[in-house]
Amino acid sequence: MTVSSSTKTLCPYCGVGCGLEVTPAGKPSGEEKAMNPWQVRGDRTHPSSQGMVCVKGATVLESLDKDRLLYPMMRDSLAQPFHRCSWEEALERVCDRIQTVRAEYGANALCMYGSGQFQTEEYYVAQKLIKGCLGTNNFDANSRLCMSSAVAGYVQSLGSDGPPCCYDDLDLTDCAFLIGTNTAECHPIIFNRLRKHHKKNPNVRLIVVDPRCTTTAEAADLHLAIRPGTDIDLLNGIAHLLLRWGLIDQPFIDAHTSGFEAFAEVARHYPPERVAERCQISAAEVETAARYWGESQRVLSLWSMGINQSSEGTAKVRSIINLHLMTGMIGKPGAGPFSLTGQPNAMGGRETGGLSYLLPGYRSVTNPQHRAEVENYWGLPAGTIQPTPGRTAWEMITGLELGEVQFLWIAATNPVVSLPDLERTKAALRRSPFTVYQDCYYPTETSAYAHVLLPASQWGEETGTMTNSERRVTLCRKFRNPPGESRPDWEIFAEVGRRLGFTHQFAFQTAADVFAEFVQLTRGRPCDMSGLSHERLAAEGPLHWPCPISSLDSEADNPTTEEGERRKGKNSPRLYIDLHFPTPDGRARFAAHHSRGLAEPPDEAYPFILTTGRLYGHWHTQTRTGRIQKTSEMYDSPFIEIHPRDAEQLGIQEGELVEVRSRRGMARFPATVTKAIAPGTVFVPMHWGAMWADSAEANALTHHHACPDSGQPELKACAVQLAPVKPNDSQSLLQPSMMTSPISV
Ligand SMILES: Nc1nc2c(c(=O)[nH]1)N[C@H]1C(S)=C(S)[C@@H](COP(=O)(O)OP(=O)(O)OC[C@H]3O[C@@H](n4cnc5c(=O)[nH]c(N)nc54)[C@H](O)[C@@H]3O)O[C@H]1N2
Ligand SMILES: Nc1nc2c(c(=O)[nH]1)N[C@H]1C(S)=C(S)[C@@H](COP(=O)(O)OP(=O)(O)OC[C@H]3O[C@@H](n4cnc5c(=O)[nH]c(N)nc54)[C@H](O)[C@@H]3O)O[C@H]1N2
Ligand code: SF4
Ligand SMILES: [Mo]
């Protein structure tokens, strides 16, 4: 057991990636009996966070021993109770099933649905097992619901995935453009840093684009409360004015981009009056935003789910990048398009190929050379890796409906809360012939739909790496033993691989071995991490990629320049500082997009736009934060935000229960009547699944329609109708406390 007096690790929650330090708390005595044996604080030496943490990082220890899944369990059908079984029995059943399904239906009837909460090593071993050894690309992750539009946008516009900026840019920008992100609640330590810089420097502008007046928007110099789904109109409107005023960087455009003319032609159709009407803001507000852009030397755009979770998410991302390209604001300190990663290791997922069209090292399954490189490295026969993308998360659901998916392995995600159109999702999972669920907690909403439960160890119980939003890789060290019989995810995947006959491919002894194998596959790729190892990260602390091994000891480089640092294998904080982009012609590409609008616009029957999102103290489906006193006490219950004008029209009073219906489902929430939301739009948090409240699931209402380029569903907008619930109906509808028994299907 690796217990030392102080263990440096990373916060397991959001993509800010704050360093944490865990120390033994000393012996509990007297009334302190319930005291946790560990205590946690921010790691002052972590360069990304410099000792800062938010409430989630500060309280995470409390969740470690609550309701853990401690041993494997199984049952023959969902109608039966689970019974405890040995790892031997559980793995034998899983492997038998994989073999039978492969033989009877082919490898494409097998699916794994994973998570940005895997460590990089776990992601990598899963890719090798599913896409390599089993020969199906049906591995997808919850990042499909999260970052896939950012990935597609970066690839299409810049030639490769990878956020080009770093957190130091937060202190260097003179205009922060925050669009579709509630940074103050969801990336709090990034927001604190930006806020400090903004407060200290009166000339620095802060623009926030969000249909809600969030905590983030409250701090802005300019808040544009646009109608949901009108981001492209606004972005094209800003471009229109920059063109009209000549505030563009023509030499940059000429030397480093392509497609400008087609884009400029589109932007000509977006005069401020038209944009104002579409976005339901004033023309003066559009002009102010454009003026801030035009007057600034270093604009830094930050975005997250208000952009990505859209049926035109990729086009939205590309429209943000357009503004950076036309003003030359990329590849220099303080400027650039900077997607804020949601989960702690969504970045590592991208590096290891953790979506159904990717392969490790920012490779693609559709590229024959990429497939050959990976097959060769994995010691597999040519042609093993399939040339077409596998199923997206939602296509796994439709595959179950059609009987095409016969085996589903879910790990480190809770889809019975987080996937769209939950009634349909649940019905499909009920039909699943065989579902394996690998999680740390029991019960969760998803465990009710599984045939086999595999207990995973989690944060603090296994050593591995994660990459945060600024491409910085941290070694997350183990400080306690896994409870019960739980095991690290990568060990479970590797064991299954060996049992299926791939002993050579899964001979890893430690996570460090896995990492060493993985980083070799990134050699020469845009996300080159070949200079990294667990050993080096332990010795030097967290490091940025690109970090190639090739010139670790090169004498010729000038270490005082960023490029010199990079070539010496040191951490390189920014991409594209040479203004060369990884496209065939080395130029970044403009995109010419008009908005297509929402997939399900409001109409007479469903007149409101429902948007969904997050709260500061909760993490997703509450598997951890719902079990922590401080964070669970921060919010009494779920709620729906509704504008006073709409509330009055519908006869809804503050605190009254509102029934919300979409074409797919129903949910009920107490009303929060507030001007913080635009009229015509309502907001509910995503955190309350069936375990934590009755009928308060945001995703009972949402739809699955997704961006055609990224496959990311439009979780941020669907059409709903509202009605107050009559007082005598409202009894016992809300149970804010957690249910104690496993929920049934
Ligand atoms: N406290 C907390 N922090 C988290 C998480 C958590 O669960 N809790 N989860 C992490 C993860 S995985 C993620 S992905 C991130 C998400 O981080 P964010 O994206 O910041 O969070 P959300 O609340 O989902 O959505 C952000 C905002 O988008 C706005 N929005 C809705 N529709 C539109 C639109 O059409 N246009 C624009 N411009 N804005 C729109 C919403 O009003 C909302 O305020 O947070 C990470 N951090
Ligand atoms: N309506 C609506 N829906 C949304 C969103 C939204 O904004 N609106 N956001 C979407 C986004 S961006 C995201 S990222 C998803 C998040 O949705 P989920 O991924 O479903 O949410 P989590 O609650 O984080 O689930 C993670 C699970 O992994 C388990 N876990 C933690 N660590 C480990 C580990 O090391 N190993 C294993 N095996 N398990 C582990 C936890 O116990 C938990 O059950 O929700 C999506 N759904
Ligand atoms: S900002 Fe994110 S990474 Fe940092 S402590 Fe909070 S949840 Fe953890
Ligand atoms: Mo996310």
Side-chain angles (χ1 to χ4, degrees), residues 142-151 179-183 186-187 209-211 229 231 302-313 316-317 320 339-343 346 350 611-614 620 686 712-717:
N142 56 5
S143 291
R144 182 70 72 172
L145 313 175
C146 186
M147 298 313 294
S148 55
S149 296
V151 176
I179 179 163
T181 168
N182 184 3
T183 326
C186 297
H187 295 94
V209 185
D210 193 308
D231 300 84
L302 305 179
W303 79 87
S304 41
M305 293 311 115
I307 293 295
N308 294 345
Q309 286 174 345
S310 158
S311 56
E312 50 184 11
K316 282 193 187 183
V317 169
I320 296 172
S339 58
L340 297 177
T341 318
Q343 298 175 88
R350 286 140 75 171
T611 191
T612 65
R614 294 164 167 77
H620 296 160
M686 64 165 293
Q712 180 157 354
E714 190 156 77
L715 292 163
K716 283 285 175 273

Side-chain angles (χ1 to χ4, degrees), residues 102 107-108 127-138 359 365 368 371-372 374-376 378-388 502 505:
R102 251 173 121 199
N108 285 332
Q127 301 319 300
K128 196 173 184 183
L129 176 65
I130 305 292
K131 293 178 184 162
C133 298
L134 294 176
T136 172
N137 291 329
N138 290 340
L359 287 172
V365 299
R371 289 197 303 278
V374 178
E375 283 162 350
N376 188 31
W378 283 346
L380 296 168
T384 307
I385 299 175
Q386 298 293 301
T388 48
F502 301 98
Q505 277 83 1

Side-chain angles (χ1 to χ4, degrees), residues 223-235:
H223 171 215
L224 303 177
I226 61 166
R227 191 168 168 77
T230 60
D231 300 84
I232 294 179
D233 298 298
L234 175 71
L235 294 161

Side-chain angles (χ1 to χ4, degrees), residues 114-174:
S115 165
Q117 290 164 67
F118 281 158
Q119 293 177 331
T120 295
E121 293 76 1
E122 298 170 339
Y123 254 121
Y124 176 72
V125 176
Q127 301 319 300
K128 196 173 184 183
L129 176 65
I130 305 292
K131 293 178 184 162
C133 298
L134 294 176
T136 172
N137 291 329
N138 290 340
F139 178 99
D140 214 42
N142 56 5
S143 291
R144 182 70 72 172
L145 313 175
C146 186
M147 298 313 294
S148 55
S149 296
V151 176
Y154 281 134
V155 171
Q156 291 181 11
S157 287
L158 305 179
S160 170
D161 187 16
C165 310
C166 64
Y167 297 164
D168 285 350
D169 293 327
L170 299 163
D171 305 331
L172 300 170
T173 183
D174 58 1

